Amino acid sequence: MDGNDVARPDEAAAAEDAGRRMPLTNFGQYIERLEGHAFHNTYVQRMLDDHSVPPDLVQQMQLTYCEPIETPDILNLLAEHHVTVLVGARGVGRFTSAVCTLATLHHRTEWPARPDRPLRLREIRRGFNEVFDISGIRLAEEVGYVLDARADDEVITPAFGRSLHDLSAQLREARSFLVVVASESLWERVGAGAQAYEIRFTGPPAAQVFEQYLNDRSRATYWLTTPVAQALTRTTAAYAVHVAGLVNEAEAAAPSTEASRSPNATDPRVDAVLAALQNWRKELVEWHRRKPGPLAHGFLLTTAVFPGCPAEVVYTVAASLAGDLDPGAVSTGLAAPGIIELAHEVGATVDAADCIAFGKPGYPSAVVNFFQRNRPDLAPRFRGWLIGLPSAIHGVTEVSDDDRQRMSDLAIDLLTRTVLARRDLVLLRRAVDEWAKNPSLITAAADLVTSCALDTTFGRKVRDETREWVINSGRSGTGSLRALTVAIACGRDLEKAGMSIVVKRLEHLAMHDDDRVCNAVADAVQKLIGSSKAREAFARVLTSRQHDHTANTRGTVQLSLAILGATEPDGMVSVLTETGRDSDMRWLIAAWSSLLTNGDRAAETKRIVLLWLQHANRDNNWALPIAQILIDAAEDADRPGRTSRIIHLCEGLYHQDQPTSIELRIRKSITEALFGVDSAQYRGLAEPGAVSQGQ
């Protein structure tokens, strides 16, 4: 293809690029906060509890929200049926419109179905590998539900449309509303019976979206009179966001020149944005036709990976990349070009702080994308170099800690986007195996796994992959590091993908022989235990194990240790702090029963008994509930081993030589319940024979 023959960029790819520029995007795509380069994503799940749409996301959406032209139709269907389905192409703004419409229904004073107060916003989700079925789902009152089914391959029951029809009456009775966002191909498969709720969604006018996303909205009038406006005709909201992002970059890189420019001169910023909309294809083709040397190639790519970073480090790293791509062809010593020469060669500038950047909107991503498409033979080497880059950067001592961390984050960011774009399991494994070896990068490996596991198109394969890592992890080497990565991910954003599955993963991981994995499981439990949804999931697993004596005993014990031993910063027991004294304690009884039945963890058991006694010392109201939990755990009729449970419990209770009055009170309650004698007479009763007689 001739360098001048440049096609308009694919809108889906542009929408994805727009997502990288937005401070916060929709749940169904990964979300990048520009500060920190951390990816986040939320996947559709079945259960409703604790899946509220975060208020900060709603607030962020409303700042730049433009009402779609379909708003009257949406409101009419919600008033009549309390449900509507927004069917449309990717990037038209279905999810944003769903959230913002539900969030503002109470403000529509003339609307006949207006709620009296703001609706609580929740997502309807399903769990890992479940078929989505909303028949029989329980609803709460005065809730605005969003069901995100934008992925073409979403697993939904064929009767979904008929179930939606049946749900309409329940929504009306609960004074709640549901907006479903779906792809066209998915709705054709599952929408039978609910066509009356369907809206063919095209979204807001692109020019309005463009104006909303400009950093300086007063500049919209000027830009809409330039050739850039042609890019906003017959396009999507996401593409308009992409165009606005490029304009923002162009204006940040160069001040306004309108006043000083001659009437017939073109605005260089407009030219730059138009070139960026074509992915700088013409310029990059022309540059490569000049056959620059291998070091210049390496410098171009490295500057694209590290825009705005110290030029000296970029120069050093560029030499390593050039050597990887073209071994033996890179000149060294005085024969090699220097930083200033190379910066001029690749069209970059070095500022007064000795940092290097292109100063062209969208140019860094265009450079990387061009190379990977233009040289598929060398692209695998580039990706391999990218995987090793964070470790190499952490070893650089010539830069500040902040610069080192920023460069590492940029490399991780690019690799994560590459894995997601390619949906490449092999690349994911290579990155995890490399990063997990470095203690300073293990969390980056966990975040990479999380981002991929929550992706709407790639996620299912990654979740299956991590399941294999957990079950067949081995006990050392690569398998152990992969297990450690999943354990850390469970304590971070992976819980958004389904708490029950995360808890099951943690139970499997708790069996691991590697102490690092077990410690990571404990850390994950510590972070999750504050969530009511997590406690419900832990409760389901532990109570189910109570009646299944062939179940995962070691994993259950380890999980019980982590749950019962998790503490707040002030030393109070987390699960007691989060659980009311009138709550259902059966799952805590099951956890204690599992722990006391197993005699291999005596030291940990004593430590946790002491933690619970200390909790009662600081909150006297917990003394009798704690005593009752321990009594019921020791007496557990559903699990054999009463004798050993009583012995292990008493060893913990009588571990303190100078008990407080509260501890004596708890001892008294327990020994009287278990032995029928006063605690002062207990000494000597904890021998196996004595306990057996007590039975």
Side-chain angles (χ1 to χ4, degrees):
M1 182 176 81
D2 185 84
N4 295 317
D5 183 16
V6 182
R8 178 183 176 121
D10 177 68
E11 288 199 353
E16 196 167 56
D17 189 58
R20 297 197 292 273
R21 300 174 189 280
M22 294 170 63
L24 208 61
T25 61
N26 293 350
F27 278 8
Q29 300 170 346
Y30 60 79
I31 296 173
E32 178 190 356
R33 292 187 182 275
L34 298 181
E35 295 181 4
H37 309 282
F39 287 86
H40 302 277
N41 198 319
T42 304
Y43 199 74
V44 181
Q45 302 295 318
R46 179 182 171 85
M47 298 307 294
L48 299 177
D49 295 339
D50 285 353
H51 290 308
S52 301
V53 178
D56 61 336
L57 177 64
V58 178
Q59 213 170 28
Q60 184 71 38
M61 287 179 169
Q62 289 177 323
L63 288 176
T64 51
Y65 176 59
C66 298
E67 281 200 349
I69 59 177
E70 294 85 3
T71 295
D73 296 332
I74 295 173
L75 293 175
N76 289 338
L77 283 176
L78 288 177
E80 183 177 358
H81 302 291
H82 285 240
V83 60
T84 187
V85 183
L86 307 183
V87 182
R90 179 183 175 186
V92 293
R94 293 161 295 170
F95 188 88
T96 300
S97 297
V99 170
C100 291
T101 299
L102 291 171
T104 57
L105 285 180
H106 63 289
H107 289 316
R108 299 184 182 275
T109 53
E110 304 301 322
W111 191 55
R114 181 176 71 90
D116 296 330
R117 59 183 65 87
L119 297 172
R120 292 169 293 149
L121 300 187
R122 292 182 181 174
E123 291 180 277
I124 295 180
R125 305 180 179 181
R126 68 167 177 81
F128 283 143
N129 303 322
E130 290 181 3
V131 174
F132 204 109
D133 183 2
I134 60 171
S135 60
I137 200 166
R138 54 193 175 93
L139 298 171
E141 293 186 348
E142 297 184 339
V143 172
Y145 292 112
V146 181
L147 194 159
D148 184 351
R150 288 172 292 177
D152 290 335
D153 60 349
E154 183 60 71
V155 184
I156 295 183
T157 175
F160 179 81
R162 288 186 289 275
S163 298
L164 204 60
H165 181 272
D166 296 339
L167 197 63
S168 173
Q170 300 174 45
L171 286 162
R172 184 180 296 104
E173 184 178 351
R175 302 184 305 282
S176 294
F177 301 87
L178 167 63
V179 179
V180 179
V181 293
S183 69
E184 295 170 338
S185 61
L186 177 74
W187 188 244
E188 287 179 7
R189 298 199 310 269
V190 303
Q195 288 88 347
Y197 309 142
E198 170 191 327
I199 291 177
R200 291 289 165 170
F201 190 85
T202 58
Q208 289 184 20
V209 177
F210 170 78
E211 179 178 354
Q212 285 290 88
Y213 276 87
L214 288 179
N215 291 341
D216 182 357
R217 294 178 185 173
S218 66
R219 302 282 299 153
T221 301
Y222 167 73
W223 282 98
L224 290 174
T225 61
T226 71
V228 172
Q230 297 176 13
L232 300 174
T233 58
R234 299 187 303 278
T235 190
T236 65
Y239 192 74
V241 173
H242 169 58
V243 176
L246 294 173
V247 168
N248 290 334
E249 285 187 43
E251 294 207 323
S256 174
T257 59
E258 290 145 62
S260 59
R261 206 170 53 246
S262 61
N264 296 326
T266 61
D267 187 340
R269 296 168 304 170
V270 173
D271 293 339
V273 172
L274 292 175
L277 289 172
Q278 301 296 331
N279 290 322
W280 294 96
R281 185 66 57 82
K282 179 181 178 181
E283 290 76 6
L284 287 169
V285 168
E286 291 175 352
W287 188 86
H288 283 79
R289 281 176 173 170
R290 295 202 301 267
K291 304 296 182 184
L295 188 54
H297 276 282
F299 197 78
L300 177 73
L301 279 168
T302 308
T303 304
V305 174
F306 297 126
C309 291
E312 181 181 354
V313 182
V314 171
Y315 181 74
T316 302
V317 175
S320 73
L321 174 58
D324 287 350
L325 296 179
D326 198 354
V330 179
S331 301
T332 59
L334 292 175
I339 292 175
I340 297 174
E341 297 169 79
L342 288 171
H344 179 76
E345 176 76 14
V346 303
T349 56
V350 180
D351 63 18
D354 282 334
C355 292
I356 190 166
F358 291 114
K360 302 174 183 177
Y363 199 70
S365 59
V367 167
V368 173
N369 293 336
F370 181 89
F371 172 77
Q372 295 198 77
R373 296 183 67 179
N374 188 51
R375 293 304 302 267
D377 55 326
L378 296 178
R381 295 186 196 175
F382 171 74
R383 292 190 284 269
W385 170 82
L386 200 58
I387 288 172
L389 203 49
S391 298
I393 292 298
H394 275 278
V396 175
T397 58
E398 293 81 8
V399 295
S400 67
D401 290 342
D402 289 344
D403 282 336
R404 187 185 303 113
Q405 187 60 54
R406 180 166 180 263
M407 295 180 76
S408 177
D409 287 345
L410 285 169
I412 291 167
D413 171 11
L414 179 55
L415 194 282
T416 303
R417 286 189 277 117
T418 302
V419 172
L420 285 168
R422 293 176 54 80
R423 303 174 192 174
D424 191 337
L425 281 176
V426 174
L427 190 60
L428 172 66
R429 293 187 202 110
R430 289 178 61 194
V432 168
D433 293 346
E434 176 65 27
W435 295 351
K437 292 187 293 186
N438 189 332
S440 61
L441 293 174
I442 184 69
T443 55
D447 288 342
L448 172 61
V449 168
T450 300
S451 299
C452 295
L454 302 180
D455 186 74
T456 53
T457 53
F458 187 38
R460 191 170 294 112
K461 288 183 179 179
V462 176
R463 294 193 294 274
D464 290 342
E465 178 78 6
T466 57
R467 182 177 181 274
E468 292 300 313
W469 292 0
V470 168
I471 295 174
N472 303 314
S473 62
R475 295 297 178 257
S476 61
T478 299
S480 185
L481 289 174
R482 289 179 179 178
L484 177 60
T485 300
V486 176
I488 293 172
C490 286
R492 293 170 72 84
D493 285 343
L494 190 60
E495 54 88 11
K496 294 177 182 176
M499 192 66 75
S500 61
I501 299 300
V502 167
V503 169
K504 290 177 182 177
R505 295 284 192 271
L506 289 173
E507 187 186 20
H508 277 290
L509 290 164
M511 289 194 300
H512 212 285
D513 290 338
D514 191 326
D515 289 341
R516 295 174 301 172
V517 177
C518 294
N519 291 337
V521 169
D523 290 342
V525 171
Q526 176 80 58
K527 293 173 183 175
L528 294 173
I529 202 67
S531 161
S532 62
K533 194 65 181 176
R535 294 194 297 276
E536 289 174 11
F538 286 132
R540 285 194 296 272
V541 169
L542 292 173
T543 52
S544 68
R545 298 293 182 263
Q546 190 175 15
H547 305 286
D548 183 3
H549 308 312
T550 64
N552 169 12
T553 304
R554 187 170 182 274
T556 305
V557 171
Q558 283 289 121
L559 200 59
S560 299
L561 275 169
I563 293 168
L564 300 175
T567 56
E568 300 293 304
D570 61 1
M572 300 292 275
V573 177
S574 298
V575 73
L576 297 180
T577 300
E578 299 290 346
T579 304
R581 290 188 298 277
D582 298 329
S583 302
D584 187 347
M585 300 294 182
R586 285 176 296 179
W587 71 288
L588 296 179
I589 294 169
W592 270 112
S593 175
S594 171
L595 183 57
L596 294 171
T597 302
N598 187 290
D600 298 334
R601 313 307 294 266
E604 290 95 330
T605 302
K606 289 179 182 178
R607 178 182 62 82
I608 295 175
V609 170
L610 179 59
L611 282 176
W612 280 52
L613 294 177
Q614 290 172 343
H615 187 101
N617 283 330
R618 298 176 64 179
D619 185 350
N620 297 351
N621 293 322
W622 268 105
L624 288 180
I626 286 174
Q628 192 60 54
I629 289 171
L630 295 175
I631 291 167
D632 291 344
E635 293 280 19
D636 187 357
D638 292 315
R639 197 191 303 264
R642 177 178 182 272
T643 298
S644 61
R645 286 195 296 275
I646 293 176
I647 291 174
H648 297 144
L649 175 58
C650 290
E651 285 175 347
L653 288 172
Y654 287 84
H655 185 60
Q656 291 286 88
D657 291 331
Q658 295 181 327
T660 65
S661 59
I662 294 295
E663 291 170 5
L664 288 172
R665 181 181 171 193
I666 293 175
R667 281 185 186 180
K668 177 179 175 64
S669 298
I670 292 175
T671 52
E672 286 183 350
L674 296 180
F675 299 104
V677 298
D678 188 88
S679 58
Q681 301 173 288
Y682 163 73
R683 298 293 181 184
L685 288 176
E687 299 299 325
V691 178
S692 298
Q693 293 171 12
Q695 296 184 65

